[in-house]
Amino acid sequence: MDLQLTDRVAVVTGASKGIGLAITRTLLEEGAKVVAASRKVTPELAELARDGDALEHVSVDLTDPDAPAAVVARAIDRFACLDILVNNAGGPPPGATLPRFSFFDADDADWRAMFEFNLFSAVRACRAAIPAMLERGGGSIVNISTGHARQASAINVDYGAAKAAMNNFGKALAEEFGPQGIRVNTVSPGPVLTPWWTDQGGAADVLAAKLGTTREELLEGGAAQLMNLATGRLATPDEIATVVALLASPRSASTTGADFAVDSGWLKAV
């Protein structure tokens, strides 16, 4: 299927690894031009840049209030327009380690940092991107949230709260700007096999220490069993990226204000 993304201009935040890297790669493969925002360039992102001039990297800390607008401005300077915004940056703020297992594990500073990274960076990016999209006659915004936004948990309370706010924010934008041609949708992954899980000191190590098991046992099926995932495994970043690309595509012209769970069957509620 041709997703009709050739020469569309996209901004992807948190693009250096994991889901953001997969989204960047998928959009490039579909013919889009991508401005990838992250604090640093990973070898994998650098490899994508070698394949042509369709990828521009911007080194920014998205907790800086001025950073999202600077990324959008770079996209317009480089490619003259903006069609797609993927607010993927999120998860643990710089310097934080997740998971946290109790409400009392996060103080006010932790909550502020979590909302800055997971909500306010997206708010600021949308504030910068929407005027440029209106000039184009429309566009697509895809916000990457989490199943925790709908399934409350004592684990990572601050993260779930920030992403729940993002879900509401996305629906509000869809309502306001849908008549002007801008679609806004949300993708809510469950556990995904990313560096957030697999890095040394990451979620697999933290959970293994808490549960008295090993990181290998968790990654090879223990985490899926613990979370009662219907597929029996964690999702892959490419599986999230495929849904994002479809939502970014003009083929999804009547899809807006929706939240897509790509979570290995984690959420059970109707």
Side-chain angles (χ1 to χ4, degrees):
M1 177 187 294
D2 178 9
L3 294 182
Q4 301 173 8
L5 291 175
T6 299
D7 291 330
R8 302 269 176 168
V9 178
V11 163
V12 180
T13 66
S16 63
K17 58 186 178 179
I19 293 171
L21 178 67
I23 293 168
T24 299
R25 181 187 299 112
T26 299
L27 292 176
L28 289 170
E29 290 172 349
E30 293 295 330
K33 299 172 181 176
V34 180
V35 174
S38 63
R39 282 178 291 159
K40 59 184 180 180
V41 178
T42 57
E44 294 83 2
L45 186 58
E47 183 64 29
L48 292 180
R50 295 190 189 101
D51 293 337
D53 60 358
L55 176 63
E56 176 94 354
H57 178 258
V58 184
S59 294
V60 290
D61 178 355
L62 287 160
T63 62
D64 176 352
D66 295 327
V71 175
V72 170
R74 179 73 68 85
I76 295 170
D77 288 345
R78 177 70 174 80
F79 297 116
C81 62
L82 180 64
D83 302 294
I84 299 160
L85 170 64
V86 182
N87 285 309
N88 169 72
T97 299
L98 299 184
R100 298 181 176 121
F101 295 97
S102 169
F103 165 68
F104 288 106
D105 289 342
D107 61 18
D108 279 3
D110 294 320
W111 277 80
R112 290 190 192 98
M114 188 65 72
F115 271 69
E116 281 286 348
F117 192 39
N118 287 275
L119 176 63
F120 295 146
S121 67
V123 170
R124 292 162 181 149
C126 290
R127 188 180 291 133
I130 287 172
M133 291 181 176
L134 291 175
E135 288 184 8
R136 292 278 282 175
S140 174
I141 299 172
V142 183
N143 294 324
I144 307 301
S145 184
T146 173
H148 276 292
R150 286 193 277 168
Q151 180 63 55
S153 170
I155 297 176
N156 300 333
V157 178
D158 50 343
Y159 176 64
K163 290 299 194 180
M166 173 183 267
N167 288 14
N168 185 286
F169 168 63
K171 284 183 176 291
L173 290 184
E175 183 70 15
E176 180 173 357
F177 295 103
Q180 298 170 58
I182 297 177
R183 298 181 298 107
V184 187
N185 291 290
T186 301
V187 175
S188 292
V192 182
L193 199 60
T194 65
W196 189 87
W197 275 85
T198 60
D199 279 352
Q200 292 298 318
D205 287 332
V206 175
L207 280 172
K210 181 75 172 180
L211 299 173
T213 184
T214 67
R215 61 182 280 116
E216 290 76 20
E217 289 174 334
L218 278 174
L219 293 173
E220 291 171 6
Q225 184 176 9
L226 180 69
M227 299 184 71
N228 193 24
L229 302 184
T231 63
R233 64 174 179 83
L234 276 63
T236 69
D238 286 341
E239 290 165 342
I240 312 302
T242 297
V243 177
V244 172
L246 181 59
L247 290 172
S249 165
R251 288 187 175 274
S252 296
S254 291
T255 303
T256 193
D259 180 12
F260 290 81
V262 189
D263 63 0
S264 305
W266 178 50
L267 292 173
K268 310 297 184 185
V270 176

